[in-house]
């Protein structure tokens, strides 16, 4: 594999945080996804109390409920290592990440516009952006009654109450150099916005790593399934049209390739065929280690004969190939030569 190929290929982690197996990491990531999607249920409950939500928020809550049901249906197949369900869970996690990125971008842009409105001279106007009115109502600092930069408190004697005093507040108009109207660039440049951007970027870096773990586990399950169903094959690429690609487990002649699941599986594999089925140096060694770990966890033994034949084939210590069968004429010639002696 060339340097450029290694540089631009998708990373394929073999452990989760270098501490746990991919299956354990996938279970933890799926659990975090379930906890995240439950928020959609509580968001819809807020509607019963009369709380106003924007159409963008309502669509996010409805999607969270749908995603919660899909995740519950697929999460139970992580331990059983079903190739279709594990691949579907990985693809759904990728799709959910893209949708969440869109929602995060929309809400972030709206928030920066509201912050810009707070620091500009456009207070009192309607908050811009999708869902801006809801953020404006709940932020707690936008659209103040008086726009002042600081307050001076002066104490004057009061004739009616000799021992006390009277406090007088005088608001000084703010001479700000802010923009006259809300804008995205102005909101991003505010001091409190920089920390928000760093937090969002850090959380999305973790999310990208979670995506890689989910994809790597689904890839491992696909290859383990190929070695399991093809007991007569000793290589992942036996039966494939290309020597650099593993056989598609959802091919029409394969057990997982029947019905609508097979069609959907072929579509999912086709979206990233080079990743799911492409060969890589060290794949078979990794697969053998994963299979050994799985047999120890499940208490099963390997198929007799297949592993031993593969070991002898690789080491070159197998029995010599049998002699080709002799034809009738050849046997007679050998007998005649023996009689002549």
């Amino acid at each position: 594999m060339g340097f450029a190929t290694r540089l631009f290929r998708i990373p394929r982690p073999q452990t989760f945080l270098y501490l746990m197996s991919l299956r354990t990491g996938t279970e933890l990531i799926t659990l975090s996804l379930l906890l995240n999607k439950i928020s959609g249920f509580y968001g819809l409950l807020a509607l019963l109390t009369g709380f106003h939500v924007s159409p963008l928020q309502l669509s996010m809550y409805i999607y969270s409920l749908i995603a919660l049901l899909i995740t519950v249906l697929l999460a139970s197949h992580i331990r059983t290592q079903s190739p279709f369900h594990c691949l579907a869970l990985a693809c759904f996690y990728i799709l959910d990440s893209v949708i969440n990125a869109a929602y995060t971008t929309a809400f972030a842009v709206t928030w920066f516009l509201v912050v810009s409105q707070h620091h500009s001279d456009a207070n009192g106007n309607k908050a811009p952006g999708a869902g801006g009115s809801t953020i404006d109502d709940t932020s707690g600092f936008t659209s103040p009654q008086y726009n002042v930069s600081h307050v001076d408190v002066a104490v004057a004697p009061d004739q009616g109450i000799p021992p006390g005093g009277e406090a007088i507040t005088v608001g000084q108009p703010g001479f700000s150099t802010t923009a006259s109207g809300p804008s995205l660039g102005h909101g991003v440049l505010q001091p409190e916005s920089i920390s928000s951007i760093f937090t969002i970027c850090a959380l999305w870096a973790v999310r990208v790593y979670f995506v890689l773990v989910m994809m790597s586990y689904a890839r491992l399950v696909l290859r383990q399934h190929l070695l399991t169903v093809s007991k007569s094959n000793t290589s992942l690429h036996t039966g494939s049209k290309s020597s650099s690609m593993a056989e598609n487990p959802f091919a029409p002649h394969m057990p997982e390739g029947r019905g609508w699941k097979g069609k959907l599986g072929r579509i999912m594999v086709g979206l990233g065929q080079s990743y799911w089925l492409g060969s890589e140096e060290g794949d078979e060694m990794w697969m053998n280690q994963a299979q050994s770990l799985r047999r120890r966890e499940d208490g099963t033994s390997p198929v007799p004969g297949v592993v031993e034949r593969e070991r002898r084939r690789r080491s070159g210590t197998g029995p010599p190939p049998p002699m080709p069968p002799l034809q009738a004429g050849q046997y007679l010639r050998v007998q005649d030569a023996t009689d002549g002696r």
Side-chain angles (χ1 to χ4, degrees), residues 182-218:
S183 64
L184 179 60
H186 178 252
V188 169
L189 294 178
Q190 298 304 316
E192 62 269 22
S193 300
I194 302 300
S195 60
S196 300
I197 295 175
F198 281 141
T199 302
I200 293 175
C201 292
L203 292 176
W204 270 103
V206 175
R207 180 77 181 217
V208 170
Y209 176 72
F210 284 176
V211 169
L212 296 177
V213 171
M214 298 288 286
M215 293 174 60
S216 185
Y217 179 71

Side-chain angles (χ1 to χ4, degrees), residues 55-85:
L56 183 64
Q57 287 176 298
L58 182 61
S59 66
M60 185 188 67
Y61 293 149
I62 295 175
Y63 164 74
S64 296
L65 285 181
I66 298 175
L68 178 63
L69 295 177
I70 296 176
T71 307
V72 169
L73 292 176
L74 297 177
S76 59
H77 296 276
I78 295 177
R79 286 188 174 272
T80 60
Q81 297 189 350
S82 170
F84 173 78
H85 295 90

